[in-house]
Every structure is written in C-alpha cells, then in structure tokens.
C-alpha cells in the first residue's frame, strides 16, 4: 500500500434520510455473492446487502436450466470448502451435478447461513457512482431506490450475459426460441417438434443429445467443430461418498495448489518423450475415465503445439470411429484450433447423437446462416423448417454483465470507456480510478480457467481480508496504482502467450464471439496456485501496487 497523506476516517453513518447505507453492497447472489455476504456480515460484522435481478439465489445456475445442463467439474469439488460442517452434511448424488442439484445446494447454503434476509432479489443494479467527498458508492436500482456503501463488490459472474446473435428475421420467427443461458422455468416440450440448435460449445454439446431424445427432428447448426471428451457421468455410490468424506482434506488441498483448481495430478511427462504406444494407452485410459482430466494427460498439452497435436489427433480419430457416416464425421472433426485452446467441453453421447435417424448436422461455416424466416432457418444452401430454435451461442463473457451497469469512478469516468480497448485492472480484482470497487473473478484473474469455486473462494477471502485491513488501519479508500495495472495487463498477455490458448481465434476467452467487443485475452493463464500466492504476498507486502488513504 502506498499511503497518501492524511489517512482519514469518513463518517460512514453520514446519510440522507432516503438512502440506506451499508458497509458493502454486493451485486450477484451466485457462488461469489453468497460467500462474500457471509464473510463480510458474519466474519467481519459489517453491514452488507446483496442485489440480484434473478428471482432466487443461484447465479449462473438460476438461468442455465437448459436440457442437459450440468457442471463439468465433479460435484464434490464444485462446491464451497470454507465450512467443514457444510461439507460434512451435504451429499452429492452424481459425479457431475445437474443444474437443479446445484441450485438446491446454493439454496441450502443461503438458508443454512441465514443469508436471505440480506439479499434483495428481482432487483437490478442500474448504476454505481463513486462520490469522492465521502469515498462511498451511490448505487441505484431499477426500483428507483438508492443505496450507499463504502465498498462495492461485483459478484455478477463471468458467464451471465447471454449472447443472442443478431441474425436478421428473428423477430418474424413464428415458432418458439430460447437462449440456453436464459432458459424458461416451465418445461419445454420438444416432442413431435422440429428443433434447431445453433452452437456447439460446451452448452450445445450438452443439450443436443437430450433434445434429440425427445424431438421429432434435431438440426444442429455448427459453425466451428469442437473437441469433446466423454464425461462418464454416474450416480455416486455409498462407497464413493465414503471415499470423498475420507479424502476431503487432501482433495481440497490438491485443488487449491493446482494450476486449474482441480484436484488431480497433471502427468509430468512430455507427450513427446514417450513411445507412441505408451501415449496411445494413456489417452485411451483418459478417454475411458472421461472428464476434464483428459487435459492432464501430459504436462505440455497446452504449451507445445506438437505435444497438443497428439491429443488433438487422438480425439479426431475417436470422432471418426464413433460417427458412422464419414461425411458427417469429417464435418464434426475440429481442424482449426488445438484441443483445449477453447474451453474443452465434456459430453454424454454427443458424437453418438449424429448416428440417430432424427438428427442432422449443418456446417454453417460452409453454408452460412442468411436469415431466420417465419418458419425456420435459411442458409446460403437451403431452408430448414423449425418449430423451435435454441441459441446455444454463449455469453458476453467476463465483462458483459459488469459493463451493463453504469459504473462511474473518480471524475465521473465510466468503466465502459475505461475498458473500451479491453479490461485493464490489477490482479483482476481492482480497477485504477474506481476506488473500493472489487471484482470477484474479474478479467485478469484465473477465473474461467479454473474450477470456479476455488477461484471464487480465493477472491472472496482476499477481498474480506483487504476490507478488514483497511478498517484496522482506518483507511477509507483503496485502488490500484495505474502503473501496477499496466504491468498486470502485460503479465496477463505474457502468461497467455506462453500457452496455446490465443490460437483459438474465435474463442470467448478473447472476446472474439461478440461483434464489436475488443480482442483481448481476458483470463489469467499463469495458474491458480501461483496467482493465489502472488495475491497473498502482495497483500502481506503492504498491498504493493495499491494506493490507499
Ligand atoms: P460458447 O463456448 O461461446 O459456444 C457458442 C457456440 O455458438 C459456438 O459453437 C459458436 O461458434 C456458436 N455461435 C455463436 N454465434 C453464432 C452464430 N451467429 N452463428 C452460428 N454459430 C454461432 O458458449 P457455451 O457453449 O454456452 O459455453 C460457454 C462457456 O460456458 C463454456 O466454455 C464453459 O466455460 C461454460 N459452460 C460450462 C458448462 C459446465 O460446466 N457444465 C456448461 C456449459 C457452458 P464459434 O465457435 O464458431 O464461435
């Protein structure tokens, strides 16, 4: 912390009659916001309130209820670790939890820690203005009410702003259409219907097999072919449950000290230093076991293109073996980016789905979508009659939800203008000239490259400790030194460029999926454990790179 002169304490009770005042305002009631409320209210004894536009807690899982929606991290470590009691009392039923089970878990957390009384649902934060005379944030909501707080914490999520592509004619479509990230709460019945799904990312790959099971016909509109590894989901047996409980300490420790927040070991061999037979066997074993662990088969899969080629080629061959029609198989084989340079999906019977009589695949890179008509989707080649269109077209990731709020820092500058060329911040957690604003899982932090709860707990606890230290030192304001933020942006780019991640030119990691969004590699690829240690060391060294007063 470099201290400016005259450290002062503000009279935080300073208030006009119609503005409720809190120590902290938290935006978002998902994994991040719930835990942040618990840390500030119950551990620091501060007053805090959470706003969320949703009708219940759950964050991304409140919205993503599409058919097949389940988590790609294994249930018993896609959850909080901060409370041993919570961990001991909750039992996950499946290896990969379905969306409703995760909602039940988060609802249980909200009840168990009595969080709901400080959560305002169905409330959208519309603006947040930093007022320099009091070093507080003035926050306005869609109800026309205003609130004031010393600290503003964005817990808005990284994949929460649905991206519906601007395809001509959608307004004329006479059938039903849905975006997966904004799925209705009532059941959607596909039986007897012709359904089209646009998008073959993690979401489309999860949804297509489930929709195909019900629909009269499913047409998958694929722009970029994707790699996917079988999830091998299964119910957790009582033996599994026992193993989890017996090994929880080690599982949590491993997750926290890993590169991606997953509790599995990355094989420390290079894919290039073993025999072809040994490599083939390792990939076969990983394929049979399933899940994101496939990526951990060799240490250099994401660093060395030749090493990656071996894994990419293995998956391509698997696709060719699974999909019976060779023309369809070849369309499904990804050729333009290395395996895992985009977030790798895992699936249940995705490639097998294309062997069904009622499923067809349209390559919309070869024959692009021209428009949506009253009755279906028209490409340069043909028109496909549809009753339902599903957009599995992803998100304005990492910055979308935050930039929808009119956030104004020192001198009235907006966050939107400040990030016009891409996000610029320090450690992904604070932005210069936006004092006392913290961004949980902000761009520039490991966030989406991790098993999210690990990254969330690290950020939430860092923010809690920072606020505690500020209170102990009677400081009223913290923000990054602009030079520290510049250096951090360079470090984010440096870390990305040591990997193959920037090679996927259409990836949402780069903002490339949203027209007009600046191209900047957003998550920090230097590793979760390294990042957590660095963040801790910076805090211990008097918040090096931050300016306080
Ligand atoms: P995504 O990875 O961004 O995929 C979107 C898909 O839509 C891509 O295939 C994209 O093609 C296609 N698309 C977008 N606009 C299009 C257009 N105008 N015309 C044709 N195709 C278009 O989105 P997502 O699948 O929702 O996944 C986003 C992230 O959410 C994942 O990477 C993952 O991190 C997370 N997620 C997690 C889980 C889980 O844990 N269970 C499940 C689902 C999602 P291009 O590739 O050509 O752009």
């Amino acid at each position: 912390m470099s201290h400016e002169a005259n450290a002062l304490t503000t009279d935080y009770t300073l208030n006009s009659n119609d503005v409720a005042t809190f120590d902290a305002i938290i935006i978002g009631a998902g994994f991040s916001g719930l835990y942040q409320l618990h840390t500030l209210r119950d551990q620091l004894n501060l007053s805090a309130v959470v706003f969320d536009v949703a009708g219940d807690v759950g964050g991304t899982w409140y919205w993503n209820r599409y058919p097949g929606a389940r988590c790609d991290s294994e249930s018993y470590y896609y959850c909080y670790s901060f409370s041993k009691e919570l961990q001991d009392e909750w039992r996950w039923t499946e290896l990969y939890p379905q969306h409703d089970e995760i909602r039940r878990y988060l609802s249980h957390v909200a009840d168990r820690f009595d969080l709901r009384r400080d959560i305002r649902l169905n409330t959208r934060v519309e603006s947040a203005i930093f007022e320099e005379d009091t070093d507080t944030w003035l926050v306005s909501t869609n109800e026309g009410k205003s609130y004031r707080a010393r600290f503003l914490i964005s817990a808005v999520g990284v994949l929460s702003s649905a991206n519906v592509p601007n395809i001509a004619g959608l307004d004329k479509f006479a059938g039903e259409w849905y975006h997966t990230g904004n799925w209705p709460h009532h059941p959607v019945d596909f039986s007897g219907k012709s359904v089209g799904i646009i998008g073959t990312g993690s979401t489309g790959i999860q949804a297509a097999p489930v929709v195909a099971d019900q629909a009269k016909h499913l047409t998958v509109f694929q722009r970029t072919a994707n790699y996917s590894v079988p999830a091998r989901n299964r119910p957790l047996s009582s033996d599994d449950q026992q193993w989890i409980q017996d090994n929880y300490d080690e599982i949590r420790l491993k997750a926290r000290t890993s590169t991606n927040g997953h509790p599995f070991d990355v094989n420390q061999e290079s894919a290039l230093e073993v025999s072809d037979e040994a490599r083939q066997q390792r990939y076969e074993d990983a394929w049979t076991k399933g899940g994101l662990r496939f990526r951990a088969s060799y240490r250099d899969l994401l660093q060395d293109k030749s090493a990656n080629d071996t894994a990419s080629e293995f998956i391509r061959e698997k696709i060719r073996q699974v999909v019976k029609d060779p023309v369809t198989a070849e369309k499904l084989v990804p050729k333009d980016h290395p395996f895992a340079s985009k977030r790798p999906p895992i699936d249940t019977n995705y490639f097998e789905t294309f062997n069904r009589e009622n499923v067809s695949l349209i390559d919309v890179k070869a024959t692009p979508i021209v428009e949506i008509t009253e009755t279906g989707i028209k490409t340069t080649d043909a028109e496909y009659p549809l009753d339902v269109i599903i957009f599995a077209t992803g998100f304005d990731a990492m910055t979308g939800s935050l930039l929808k709020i009119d956030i104004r820092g020192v001198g009235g500058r907006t966050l939107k203008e400040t990030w016009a060329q891409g996000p610029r911040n320090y450690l992904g957690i604070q932005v210069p000239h936006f004092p006392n604003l913290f961004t949980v899982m902000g761009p520039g932090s490991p966030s989406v490259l991790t098993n999210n709860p690990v990254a969330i707990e690290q950020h939430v606890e860092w923010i809690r400790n920072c606020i505690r230290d500020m209170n102990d030192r009677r400081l009223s304001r913290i923000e990054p030194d602009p030079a520290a933020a510049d250096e951090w942006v360079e470090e984010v780019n440096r870390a990305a460029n040591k990997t193959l991640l920037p090679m996927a030119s259409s990836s949402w990691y780069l903002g490339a999926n949203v027209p007009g969004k600046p191209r900047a590699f957003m998550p920090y690829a230097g590793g979760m454990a390294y990042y957590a240690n660095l963040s801790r060391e910076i805090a211990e060294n008097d918040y090096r790179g931050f300016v306080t007063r």
Side-chain angles (χ1 to χ4, degrees):
M1 254 180 210
S2 70
H3 298 249
E4 289 182 5
N6 299 331
L8 51 89
T9 48
T10 310
D11 176 5
Y12 299 116
T13 58
L14 184 81
N15 194 4
S16 69
N17 287 338
D18 52 355
V19 180
T21 297
F22 298 89
D23 291 305
I25 290 174
I26 299 160
I27 314 173
F31 267 98
S32 305
L34 293 179
Y35 183 34
Q36 192 75 73
L37 174 61
H38 177 59
T39 62
L40 299 184
R41 191 193 68 181
D42 304 332
Q43 297 174 356
L44 298 189
N45 280 321
L46 300 179
S47 60
V49 65
V50 177
F51 295 113
D52 198 310
V53 70
D56 201 352
V57 301
T60 199
W61 298 104
Y62 176 84
W63 301 102
N64 282 271
R65 301 163 183 244
Y66 59 87
R70 58 177 72 246
C71 185
D72 290 347
S73 287
E74 293 174 28
S75 52
Y76 57 96
Y77 57 83
Y78 185 81
C79 52
Y80 295 115
S81 70
F82 70 84
S83 161
K84 183 161 165 31
E85 295 75 22
L86 170 65
Q87 185 172 280
D88 286 347
E89 74 202 10
W90 187 264
R91 292 287 181 276
W92 293 99
T93 65
E94 289 183 277
L95 188 57
Y96 296 99
Q98 194 162 276
H99 58 96
D100 50 347
E101 187 168 17
I102 304 172
R103 275 198 304 282
R104 278 200 301 280
Y105 171 75
L106 289 173
S107 188
H108 169 72
V109 170
D111 293 335
R112 188 189 193 290
F113 295 98
D114 193 17
L115 300 176
R116 290 185 194 274
R117 67 187 152 94
D118 292 307
I119 300 173
R120 308 280 176 274
L121 297 168
N122 302 304
T123 308
R124 179 186 293 282
V125 170
E126 294 196 325
S127 68
I129 317 282
F130 185 71
E131 296 195 342
E132 287 200 75
D133 51 347
T134 54
D135 283 343
T136 57
W137 284 92
L138 186 65
V139 168
S140 302
T141 67
N142 62 335
E143 304 162 300
K145 291 188 183 160
S146 295
Y147 303 84
R148 190 181 294 283
R150 296 169 58 202
F151 300 105
L152 177 63
I153 298 156
S154 161
V156 295
V158 283
L159 294 159
S160 49
S161 181
N163 173 38
V164 179
N166 188 13
I167 302 175
L170 179 57
D171 53 332
K172 297 195 195 80
F173 183 58
E176 307 154 57
W177 69 267
Y178 306 100
H179 187 284
T180 48
N182 200 356
W183 198 260
H185 291 199
H186 60 79
V188 178
D189 185 9
F190 300 108
S191 46
K193 292 183 180 163
S194 293
V195 183
I197 184 164
I198 305 178
T200 53
S202 301
T203 301
I205 281 176
Q206 284 185 337
V210 183
V211 175
D213 256 350
Q214 237 194 55
K216 182 173 78 181
H217 192 88
L218 173 68
T219 309
V220 177
F221 295 87
Q222 169 192 278
R223 192 164 65 184
T224 305
N226 215 338
Y227 301 91
S228 184
V229 172
R232 314 280 182 212
N233 187 35
R234 59 181 168 79
L236 290 174
S237 66
S238 52
D239 283 354
D240 292 326
Q241 304 283 9
Q242 195 55 51
W243 179 85
I244 291 164
Q245 292 303 322
D246 291 347
N247 290 279
Y248 240 141
D249 288 350
E250 196 190 329
I251 292 165
R252 297 300 199 178
L253 181 67
K254 248 188 185 165
R256 274 195 288 270
T257 51
S258 71
T259 305
N260 296 103
H262 288 275
F264 41 78
D265 295 319
V266 177
N267 174 22
Q268 285 308 309
E269 290 171 305
S270 161
L272 303 175
E273 72 188 15
V274 297
S275 69
D276 289 353
E277 295 73 34
R279 193 189 312 112
Q280 189 70 11
Q281 192 55 53
R282 183 170 283 277
Y283 288 146
E284 279 294 348
D285 292 347
W287 185 267
T288 305
K289 189 151 196 182
L292 292 172
R293 288 164 199 261
F294 189 92
R295 197 173 42 177
S297 296
Y298 292 102
R299 68 169 154 78
D300 49 359
L301 291 189
L302 221 62
Q303 278 74 35
D304 184 313
K305 175 70 169 54
S306 303
N308 186 290
D309 285 344
T310 64
S312 298
E313 199 45 44
F314 177 87
I315 300 176
R316 291 185 192 119
E317 245 348 276
K318 283 288 180 200
I319 298 170
R320 293 183 181 111
Q321 284 165 18
V322 171
V323 181
K324 295 196 177 114
D325 170 37
V327 177
T328 304
E330 222 36 51
K331 281 186 197 164
L332 286 164
V333 166
K335 299 184 179 94
D336 65 352
H337 64 283
F339 164 66
S341 58
K342 286 181 162 186
R343 154 68 153 76
I346 61 174
D347 71 272
T348 301
N349 296 331
Y350 176 63
F351 294 113
E352 290 82 349
T353 295
F354 294 93
N355 294 332
R356 297 176 64 121
E357 290 291 316
N358 70 332
V359 174
S360 43
L361 176 69
I362 307 303
D363 176 354
V364 295
K365 206 166 247 168
T367 56
I369 296 173
V370 180
E371 61 171 331
I372 294 175
T373 65
E374 214 179 307
T375 52
I377 291 181
K378 191 170 171 187
T379 68
T380 51
D381 188 47
E383 183 163 353
Y384 301 91
L386 298 168
D387 303 305
V388 184
I389 299 175
I390 300 174
F391 290 94
T393 44
F395 302 89
D396 182 352
M398 304 204 73
T399 56
S401 292
L402 191 57
L403 294 180
K404 276 184 185 161
I405 304 168
D406 181 11
I407 300 180
R408 291 168 192 254
V410 172
R413 74 187 71 202
T414 67
L415 189 59
K416 204 168 183 165
E417 288 157 5
T418 306
W419 283 3
Q421 306 305 317
R424 182 170 160 274
N425 60 16
Y426 185 38
L427 296 175
I429 211 163
Q430 269 221 305
V431 188
H433 313 300
F434 291 79
N436 299 357
L437 167 67
F438 297 93
T439 52
V440 182
M441 301 264 280
S445 72
S447 60
V448 293
L449 298 179
T450 67
N451 168 41
N452 287 353
V454 174
I456 286 169
E457 287 191 330
Q458 186 269 333
H459 256 192
V460 164
E461 289 165 13
W462 194 96
I463 293 166
R464 172 200 62 196
N465 295 348
C466 177
I467 290 176
R468 181 199 60 207
D469 292 346
M470 288 186 68
N471 284 348
D472 289 351
R473 298 176 202 184
R474 301 179 72 75
L475 296 168
S476 68
R477 183 163 159 166
I478 183 164
E479 66 183 292
D481 181 341
D486 286 345
E487 276 170 36
W488 184 250
V489 172
E490 274 177 38
E491 166 61 10
V492 171
N493 287 323
R494 214 172 16 242
N497 289 330
K498 283 187 192 158
T499 72
L500 305 180
L501 293 166
M503 288 184 74
S505 58
S506 69
S507 144
W508 58 260
Y509 292 156
L510 279 162
N513 63 326
V514 176
K517 188 165 173 169
R519 297 264 171 132
F521 193 85
M522 291 184 287
Y524 179 56
M528 185 64 226
Y530 171 77
Y531 171 87
N533 283 335
L534 178 67
S535 303
R536 183 173 47 245
E537 184 257 325
I538 284 172
E540 284 166 4
N541 278 282
D542 209 13
Y543 291 87
R544 191 177 67 241
F546 291 89
V547 181
T548 58
R549 69 178 195 215

